[in-house]
Amino acid sequence: MVSNRCKMMVKDELKKLGLHFIIVDLGVVEIMENISDETRNLLKVNLFESGLELMDDKRAILIEKVKNVIIEMIHHSEEPIKVTFSEYLSDKLNQNYTYLANLFSEVQGMTIEQFMILHKVERIKELIIYDELNITEIAWKMNYSSVAHLSTQFKKVTGLSPSHFKLLKDKRRNPIEELGI
């Protein structure tokens, strides 16, 4: 789950099956009941029909948690992290960063850094479209060392400079769910 809309869909599916949830968060669901295999399979099918997946594989779950930490940090947090991202991720998931990075690369076919950059660029596009901050303010907000660094990364991903993107009439953004699939 990568958005509030996904969380709502999961809650709806749980309610339809008469299941009571304690937590429905990005990538995590905790329910009160023990469920039968039949109910679990039904939930799996219903979620799949909604474009979601019930994950059983511990590695896939861990990868999803890594993605959710990145998405939460980039798209939903106003506070910049005070430590390196590798420390932040390790602490948040209680895992060795090297293990997480190797697993992520193996399963996703891209590095954690590449995944983060894709999401940062999408967030930058969003901030440019809102037109409330200038590029310098966006660079600071997104924790870039300079406007030049932001511009270089933005151009590498989009093929456009941030200022050229701002001039486009049809500003195209990608859904968070489709980044780094």
Side-chain angles (χ1 to χ4, degrees):
M1 286 184 287
V2 294
S3 69
N4 288 330
R5 187 168 189 70
C6 293
K7 290 195 299 190
M8 287 177 16
M9 290 167 51
V10 170
K11 287 177 182 178
D12 287 345
E13 291 303 329
L14 293 170
K15 286 176 187 173
K16 285 178 193 173
L17 294 172
L19 299 172
H20 303 90
F21 51 86
I22 300 166
I23 296 171
V24 175
D25 204 356
L26 298 177
V28 178
V29 174
E30 189 176 331
I31 57 174
M32 292 180 181
E33 301 87 0
N34 289 324
I35 61 174
S36 67
D37 288 342
E38 182 181 328
T39 303
R40 183 179 182 79
N41 286 334
L42 188 55
L43 177 61
K44 192 172 192 168
V45 168
N46 291 350
L47 289 174
F48 186 77
E49 287 174 0
S50 298
L52 300 172
E53 181 181 5
L54 181 63
M55 290 192 279
D56 297 323
D57 177 29
K58 288 188 188 311
R59 290 167 33 119
I61 292 169
L62 189 54
I63 294 298
E64 202 60 29
K65 286 180 180 180
V66 170
K67 289 179 178 181
N68 288 330
V69 168
I70 293 168
I71 289 166
E72 183 66 35
M73 181 188 77
I74 292 173
H75 295 279
H76 305 292
S77 176
E78 293 299 317
E79 293 291 318
I81 58 173
K82 310 243 186 299
V83 295
T84 65
F85 178 72
S86 57
E87 288 177 73
Y88 178 77
L89 187 62
S90 292
D91 290 346
K92 194 93 167 150
L93 299 180
N94 200 25
Q95 295 279 340
N96 176 283
Y97 182 77
T98 304
Y99 170 72
L100 292 173
N102 289 335
L103 177 65
F104 193 92
S105 295
E106 178 186 324
V107 173
Q108 289 299 123
M110 70 170 54
T111 65
I112 288 175
E113 183 182 12
Q114 290 167 326
F115 185 82
M116 277 183 60
I117 290 168
L118 287 175
H119 280 274
K120 284 179 102 171
V121 167
E122 280 309 306
R123 180 71 172 129
I124 292 164
K125 286 181 187 178
E126 181 180 11
L127 293 170
I128 290 171
I129 291 167
Y130 288 165
D131 203 25
E132 294 172 358
L133 303 172
N134 63 40
I135 299 299
T136 304
E137 292 167 325
I138 292 172
W140 180 84
K141 180 180 181 67
M142 296 304 297
N143 211 18
Y144 279 91
S145 58
S146 67
V147 172
H149 183 217
L150 177 148
S151 296
T152 301
Q153 243 179 29
F154 191 90
K155 188 164 187 166
K156 192 181 274 187
V157 172
T158 66
L160 303 168
S161 68
S163 53
H164 188 227
F165 178 80
K166 188 172 188 161
L167 296 174
L168 293 177
K169 288 186 176 151
D170 184 23
K171 295 174 177 78
R172 296 182 192 251
R173 293 192 49 233
N174 298 311
I176 292 171
E177 295 86 358
E178 293 178 11
L179 293 175
I181 296 178

